[in-house]
Amino acid sequence: MRHAAVWSLAIALSACGPAPAGRGALDGGGNAGVDGGGGSTADAAVGDDGCSAAARLIYTIDKDLRLSAFDPSTRTFTDRGTLACPADIGAKPLSMAVNRAAIAYVLYNSGELFAVDTATLACTATTWDQDLRLYSFGMGFSTDQAGGTAETLFIAGEDLYTGPPMLARLDTSTFLATKLANLSGQPELTGTGTGELWGYFPSSVPPQLIRLDKATGAALQTYAITNPTGAPTSFAFAFWGGDFWVFLYRSTDTATSVYQLDGASGALVSTTSTTGRRVVGAGVSTCAPPVIL
């Protein structure tokens, strides 16, 4: 992942404000505070690649419907507000993906899928109707080619009645899904602006990060994760700046922790604790920088 082409990276970083600190500064030898509302989340002018500063951040959704922007360069959250999507009574968010226009697609555990403006939190119901009998799935956008702007939304879930887990492509103009392949587990997905698609399989022993073939679902690259481990209760996954970011809440945890995993090995780089957060979904657009110089 470190050798990926740096497309419009100088523009991407200048649009986001000051360049992120180096890896040593990010780690800081401990767990940085994250609930102070800081971070470079202000919208900026659209760059030559068609991306705003807002489209370069990771977004998270909590069990309590709180939508937040997470800035990996500072490891801080900025809360945007509480979703008020017209979902079934009692329904809660389950997963999320974000496109290059900073529109989040939020799946609820009722099987309903909504399009959410991450700036205004305006929520629009889609025509998704549990195609392929998929009620729960992870999802992520990936560019169709390295450095391109055309992107595809991939989803990974399990047939409600028969299984097994599957990888599918979801057309966001018709909201019809096309099955691509069976999978050996049910991952959360993240894509990249370099055209890759990765799955985080937390229930594997040990947990795994797998780069998936977008046509066949085959494993193209696999990292075994030795830290973090433990039975997941809520988890989410994103790629940013050449590294993976896992948002994990286990049965023994009191809040979600954010784990930065090296994009070239899957090794743990840093851990960031949170207070009062239970992240159930995360999304990052393909505008996110593929590497940090």
Side-chain angles (χ1 to χ4, degrees):
M1 303 295 289
R2 298 296 184 187
H3 59 272
V6 184
W7 47 276
S8 303
L9 185 57
I11 295 172
L13 292 180
S14 63
C16 289
R23 165 155 293 170
L26 272 177
D27 188 10
N31 298 329
V34 297
D35 292 303
S40 53
T41 57
D43 291 352
V46 174
D48 289 349
D49 57 359
C51 295
S52 66
R56 304 183 201 281
L57 300 170
I58 297 173
Y59 290 87
T60 65
I61 185 71
D62 278 28
K63 185 179 180 180
D64 63 5
L65 304 177
R66 174 174 40 171
L67 182 76
S68 306
F70 177 74
D71 186 343
S73 68
T74 58
R75 295 188 298 169
T76 55
F77 289 88
T78 299
D79 296 337
R80 292 293 176 90
T82 301
L83 293 191
C85 296
D88 289 348
I89 295 175
K92 297 292 185 181
L94 188 64
S95 65
M96 181 168 67
V98 177
N99 69 12
R100 293 176 69 86
I103 299 299
Y105 290 90
V106 181
L107 177 70
Y108 280 63
N109 57 12
S110 57
E112 299 168 283
L113 182 65
F114 297 91
V116 178
D117 187 312
T118 56
T120 67
L121 271 63
C123 187
T124 304
T126 72
T127 57
W128 167 256
D129 190 27
Q130 295 86 50
D131 199 17
L132 299 178
R133 298 190 295 193
L134 290 173
Y135 277 73
S136 65
F137 49 82
M139 52 181 164
F141 282 92
S142 173
T143 55
D144 296 340
Q145 61 183 14
T149 58
E151 59 185 359
T152 298
L153 178 58
F154 292 89
I155 63 177
E158 190 170 65
D159 184 312
L160 180 65
Y161 302 105
T162 63
M166 70 179 74
L167 178 68
R169 180 178 62 248
L170 179 57
D171 187 325
T172 54
S173 60
T174 64
F175 289 96
L176 296 176
T178 301
K179 180 178 177 179
L180 300 172
N182 290 334
L183 296 174
S184 58
Q186 187 166 341
E188 186 55 88
L189 299 177
T190 190
T192 74
T194 59
E196 296 182 352
L197 180 68
W198 286 82
Y200 169 57
F201 293 77
S203 298
S204 300
V205 182
Q208 293 180 318
L209 295 176
I210 299 178
R211 181 161 67 94
L212 299 168
D213 187 296
K214 294 191 289 188
T216 68
L220 301 177
Q221 194 171 357
T222 300
Y223 300 143
I225 305 303
T226 57
N227 192 354
T229 59
T233 300
S234 303
F235 63 93
F237 179 50
F239 175 90
W240 190 96
D243 286 338
F244 301 101
W245 301 81
V246 172
F247 302 80
L248 182 62
Y249 180 100
R250 295 163 294 197
S251 59
T252 56
D253 294 332
T254 59
T256 291
S257 291
V258 185
Y259 299 90
Q260 179 186 4
L261 304 179
D262 189 279
S265 67
L268 180 66
V269 175
S270 70
T271 302
T272 303
S273 300
T274 73
T275 302
R277 294 184 185 273
R278 184 168 175 180
V279 174
V280 296
V284 63
S285 87
T286 55
C287 291
V291 295
I292 295 297
L293 297 178

